[in-house]
């Protein structure tokens, strides 16, 4: 298995405990949650069941009962409700009380039909029987992070504070993507790995569809634009599978896709067809928990003035290039490479790659152990400067790094014009924020900085290789 060492360790530690453990695993769809659990335990489960999407309560109970029968339950009739279904599972557990038991319920959110009393039945099962079992590790998994959070992690009823371990599975880092490609014999250099990350993020499912015989551009054409593009409907499918009334979620991300810097909640609201503030708060929370958007704060501010930004690479790529384009555009992406539109998009996409690797940037700067807050900054409109810095690292050692993120296919060169612009930007930041901390300009780029009479404006440089740490 590529990466996931910490997550595997946490799972194994909980499985080896003598007392009952309730482990909650969640993360974006396609991120590899099921694969992680199955590989960690080598598919050796006391009981396993995967919820079915969009089926009736009756059908869900029928399939759950089939699983019970396969794992040793002797009651063949379909349970009349979830209380009876979990009661049978509880009896099965008690028959093997001294044995080590790992139970895996995948896609649990899909089991919770409206009016099914599923959560109430699960609460009764856990509190009444499972929590008293010996050597039991019960793993709950789901892609609908909002459901997992509301119904399990933040449950205010019988499941309050019952989870003994929560694991949010994040996309691969660049380093893990590189390992994954090498394991699949897909030959990409680090520049190409970054280019792939700009499109597919670190989502294993997408990367696993690469054909090792093709170049990166050919794989993008085949997966996204060809006549039989495997990911042509992925955007719609992901949102429909994760969210009820997913049209609202799509409205929000599409509004954000048109403003790369991000929008305030009020600005987002102005772009929507639904004006219910409570609905918007719920939608934003669900998108954030599922990894599609991020909320970040301008430098020197807390909650007030926070911005929402689209952060999922594939969603951004789809809305920028795939939306409204019919399949069958063979070679489209290969033809777009190097165009003005592609270069502009690549610059912003590289910024998103960098923002997903802030720990690696801190390590390259030698401040991994320094308490640091991350924010952005824009000059005040009344000043008329129009200066903007997408990543500000404010450190506890009284230093601020203003990070400029530049995507380039060669060493980055600073000319006289940019030198003056950078000096103005740093001056504007210091003047408007009135900071007394030392302010350093930092360049984050691919192939490093070319030495010239103006290159000293940057006091530190983070290169592409640093992002693979």
């Amino acid at each position: 298995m590529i990466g996931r060492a910490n997550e595997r360790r946490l799972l194994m530690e909980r499985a080896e405990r003598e007392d009952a453990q309730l482990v909650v695993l969640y993360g974006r769809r396609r991120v590899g949650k099921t694969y992680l659990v199955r590989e960690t335990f080598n598919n050796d489960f006391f009981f396993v069941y995967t919820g079915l999407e969009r089926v009736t309560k009756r059908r869900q109970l029928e399939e759950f009962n089939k699983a019970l029968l396969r794992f040793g339950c002797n009651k063949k009739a379909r349970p009349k409700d979830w209380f009876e279904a979990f009661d049978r599972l509880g009896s099965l557990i008690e028959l093997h009380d001294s044995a080590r038991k790992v139970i895996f319920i995948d896609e649990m959110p899909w089991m919770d039909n409206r009016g099914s009393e599923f959560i109430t039945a699960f609460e009764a099962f856990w509190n009444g029987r499972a929590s008293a079992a010996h050597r039991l590790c019960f793993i709950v998994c789901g892609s609908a992070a909002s459901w997992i959070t509301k119904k399990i992690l933040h449950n205010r009823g019988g499941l309050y504070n019952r989870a003994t371990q929560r694991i949010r599975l994040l996309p691969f880092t660049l380093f893990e993507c590189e390992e994954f490609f090498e394991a699949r014999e897909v030959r990409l250099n680090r520049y190409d790995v970054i280019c792939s990350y700009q499109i597919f993020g670190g989502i294993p499912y997408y990367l696993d569809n690469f054909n090792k015989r093709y170049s990166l551009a050919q794989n993008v054409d085949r997966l996204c634009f060809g006549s039989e593009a495997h990911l042509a409907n992925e955007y719609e499918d992901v949102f429909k599978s994760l969210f009820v009334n997913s049209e609202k979620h799509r409205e929000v991300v599409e509004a954000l896709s048109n403003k790369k810097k991000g929008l305030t909640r009020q600005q987002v609201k102005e772009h929507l067809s639904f004006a219910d503030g409570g609905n918007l708060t719920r939608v934003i929370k669900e998108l954030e928990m599922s990894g599609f958007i991020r909320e970040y704060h301008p430098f020197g501010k807390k909650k007030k003035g926070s911005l929402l930004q689209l952060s999922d690479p594939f969603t951004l790529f789809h809305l920028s290039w795939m939306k409204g384009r019919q399949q069958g555009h063979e070679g489209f992406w290969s033809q777009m490479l190097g165009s003005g539109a592609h270069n502009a998009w690549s610059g912003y996409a590289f910024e998103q790659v960098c923002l997903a690797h802030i720990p690696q940037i801190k390590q390259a700067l030698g401040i991994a152990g320094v308490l640091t807050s991350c924010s952005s900054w824009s000059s005040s409109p009344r000043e008329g400067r129009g200066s903007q810095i997408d990543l500000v690292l404010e450190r506890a050692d009284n230093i601020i790094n203003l990070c400029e993120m530049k995507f380039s296919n060669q060493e980055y060169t600073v000319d006289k014009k940019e030198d003056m612009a950078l000096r103005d930007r740093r001056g504007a930041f210091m003047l408007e924020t009135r900071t007394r901390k030392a302010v350093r300009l930092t360049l984050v780029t691919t192939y490093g900085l070319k030495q010239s009479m103006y290159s000293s404006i940057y006091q530190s440089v983070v290169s592409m290789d640093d992002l693979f740490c």
Side-chain angles (χ1 to χ4, degrees), residues 27-89:
R28 183 198 188 281
R29 189 172 184 248
R30 311 290 205 191
V31 81
K33 300 179 298 297
T34 302
Y35 183 80
L36 167 66
V37 177
R38 291 188 176 276
E39 286 296 304
T40 298
F41 296 105
N42 197 29
N43 280 317
D44 185 14
F45 300 108
F46 177 81
F47 177 79
V48 61
Y49 178 72
T50 300
L52 301 178
E53 185 180 10
R54 293 185 176 87
V55 300
T56 63
K57 170 187 170 183
R58 178 188 179 94
R59 179 63 185 276
Q60 200 82 250
L61 284 167
E62 287 175 352
E63 296 304 316
F64 189 83
N65 193 51
K66 289 178 184 177
L68 286 170
L69 291 171
R70 287 196 301 272
F71 286 92
C73 182
N74 56 14
K75 295 184 178 180
K76 295 185 178 181
R78 173 179 55 84
K80 66 178 183 296
D81 54 30
W82 283 113
F83 289 93
E84 185 176 342
F86 281 121
D87 184 66
R88 293 183 187 181
L89 180 57

Side-chain angles (χ1 to χ4, degrees), residues 94 143 158 220 247 257 277 319 353 360 369 391 420:
E94 290 166 0
S143 298
V220 175
E247 294 81 5
S257 72
L319 295 175
V353 174
Q360 287 79 7
L391 179 59
M420 291 303 300

Side-chain angles (χ1 to χ4, degrees), residues 273-301:
S273 63
F274 63 98
D276 183 347
N279 249 335
L280 177 59
T281 297
R282 174 184 58 81
V283 168
I284 288 173
K285 185 64 176 177
E286 291 178 353
L287 286 168
E288 192 174 7
M289 288 298 301
S290 299
F292 288 95
I293 67 174
R294 69 162 63 91
E295 182 176 19
Y296 68 102
H297 309 286
F299 180 82
K301 299 180 181 179

Side-chain angles (χ1 to χ4, degrees), residues 2 11 28 39 41 58 73 87 110 131 207 239 241 251 253 273 278 319-320 336 340 350 356 413 415 420 432-433 446:
I2 304 299
L11 287 172
R28 183 198 188 281
E39 286 296 304
F41 296 105
R58 178 188 179 94
C73 182
D87 184 66
W110 290 346
S131 62
L207 308 185
F239 277 80
S241 69
E251 269 194 69
V253 300
S273 63
L319 295 175
S320 300
M336 290 303 301
F350 180 67
T413 302
D415 58 19
M420 291 303 300
E432 291 189 32
T433 63
T446 44

Side-chain angles (χ1 to χ4, degrees), residues 54 93 118 143 145 221 232 247 252 331:
R54 293 185 176 87
I93 291 171
F118 174 83
S143 298
D221 280 324
E247 294 81 5
V252 171

Side-chain angles (χ1 to χ4, degrees), residues 370-390:
V370 179
L371 182 64
T372 306
S373 65
C374 305
S375 60
S376 66
W377 175 81
S378 296
S379 61
S380 172
R382 64 177 178 272
E383 297 293 337
R385 291 188 179 93
S387 297
Q388 179 179 330
I389 301 168
D390 294 309

